[in-house]
Amino acid sequence: SQQGEEDPQALSIQEGENATMNCSYKTSINNLQWYRQNSGRGLVHLILIRSNEREKHSGRLRVTLDTSKKSSSLLITASRAADTASYFCATAGGSYIPTFGRGTSLIVHP
Amino acid sequence: EAQVTQNPRYLITVTGKKLTVTCSQNMNHEYMSWYRQDPGLGLRQIYYSMNVEVTDKGDVPEGYKVSRKEKRNFPLILESPSPNQTSLYFCASSLRTYMNTEAFFGQGTRLTVV
């Protein structure tokens, strides 16, 4: 069953703005990952945050994890048109098998 | 180059005609998985494999078979495809360790069953 659920389902912003998307999950996890998917293509791994970490950065990406609330957020700062894609969170629990949510569709207007 | 290769990329077939979608990875990963992606439903796991000769059902295994005879290959078999199996399929692999379960994805196979 799908573990993570992203929110919002769709997000439309202007270039230069920040984009924030959230992920909620139900059971305990070992780590949480964020992926990007350009239209019809394979998913690309962006960042992994472990259950004992609270925040992680990678370039313009900032991920937070709140295990008490079972939620994570992905912030993309100074967004670009090339950031237009769908973003998925994936959680991995005891079996380390990543389970994906339905994704957030981000459109960045030039 | 580290990669997951799926073939074919596009396939149109008729109901009931057996087909196989191949998946190969060159990273010596233990874990491999198949997903299908449908609008509004996200990625749903079909089958996964923890290692050679070890496979297990995911969330939507009905109508599919898999095998894992070698570490690098994990083919997806549709014995008798039906129109409701029209979908975008992805194969993924990862090195299954406690610290890192980053998954590498193939480019996808768009299957249409008429």
Side-chain angles (χ1 to χ4, degrees):
Chain A
S1 58
Q2 284 166 323
Q3 165 78 300
E5 288 296 333
E6 295 87 349
D7 173 65
Q9 285 189 331
L11 185 57
S12 180
I13 59 174
Q14 294 295 126
E15 210 166 28
E17 294 179 341
N18 295 342
T20 299
M21 50 205 91
N22 305 296
C23 171
S24 59
Y25 58 92
K26 295 189 175 74
T27 62
S28 62
I29 60 171
N30 285 313
N31 65 59
L32 186 143
Q33 306 158 55
W34 285 91
Y35 289 79
R36 185 184 73 206
Q37 182 184 34
N38 290 91
S39 181
R41 309 290 296 267
L43 278 73
V44 174
H45 182 262
L46 293 175
I47 196 164
L48 180 151
I49 185 166
R50 300 190 181 96
S51 58
N52 61 353
E53 297 175 313
R54 291 296 166 258
E55 188 170 313
K56 204 160 183 182
H57 296 255
S58 176
R60 292 184 295 112
L61 306 180
R62 173 178 168 250
V63 169
T64 61
L65 179 65
D66 186 336
T67 53
S68 66
K69 295 181 180 177
K70 293 187 169 58
S71 68
S72 172
S73 67
L74 169 67
L75 168 67
I76 304 174
T77 60
S79 62
R80 305 166 182 167
D83 295 327
T84 294
S86 291
Y87 292 82
F88 294 84
C89 69
T91 53
S95 64
Y96 309 115
I97 300 166
T99 307
F100 290 82
R102 291 184 170 85
T104 292
S105 175
L106 173 66
I107 297 175
V108 182
H109 299 280
Chain B
E1 180 189 352
Q3 60 185 5
V4 178
T5 303
Q6 288 179 234
N7 278 297
R9 292 287 311 278
Y10 302 92
L11 179 59
I12 301 174
T13 190
V14 295
T15 299
K17 186 177 180 181
K18 181 179 178 180
L19 66 92
T20 299
V21 184
T22 63
C23 174
S24 180
Q25 49 94 5
N26 62 0
M27 296 166 280
N28 202 35
H29 283 170
E30 291 180 336
Y31 166 72
M32 297 186 76
S33 180
W34 277 102
Y35 298 87
R36 61 177 288 174
Q37 185 176 28
D38 303 287
L41 297 178
L43 276 87
R44 294 180 292 168
Q45 191 172 55
I46 304 170
Y47 270 94
Y48 63 92
S49 169
M50 296 290 198
N51 214 325
V52 176
E53 301 292 2
V54 181
T55 64
D56 211 340
K57 296 177 181 178
D59 296 320
V60 288
E62 294 78 21
Y64 305 94
K65 283 176 57 178
V66 292
S67 69
R68 188 92 182 271
K69 294 185 170 58
E70 309 163 278
K71 201 169 188 178
R72 62 183 294 125
N73 295 322
F74 190 45
L76 178 70
I77 303 156
L78 284 72
E79 294 270 3
S80 182
S82 62
N84 65 11
Q85 291 178 298
T86 292
S87 187
L88 180 57
Y89 291 87
F90 290 102
C91 177
S93 75
S94 67
L95 184 63
R96 188 173 66 92
T97 67
Y98 172 75
M99 299 302 287
N100 186 357
T101 52
E102 172 189 349
F104 292 78
F105 279 78
Q107 286 302 301
T109 296
R110 189 168 291 279
L111 172 66
T112 302
V113 184
V114 298

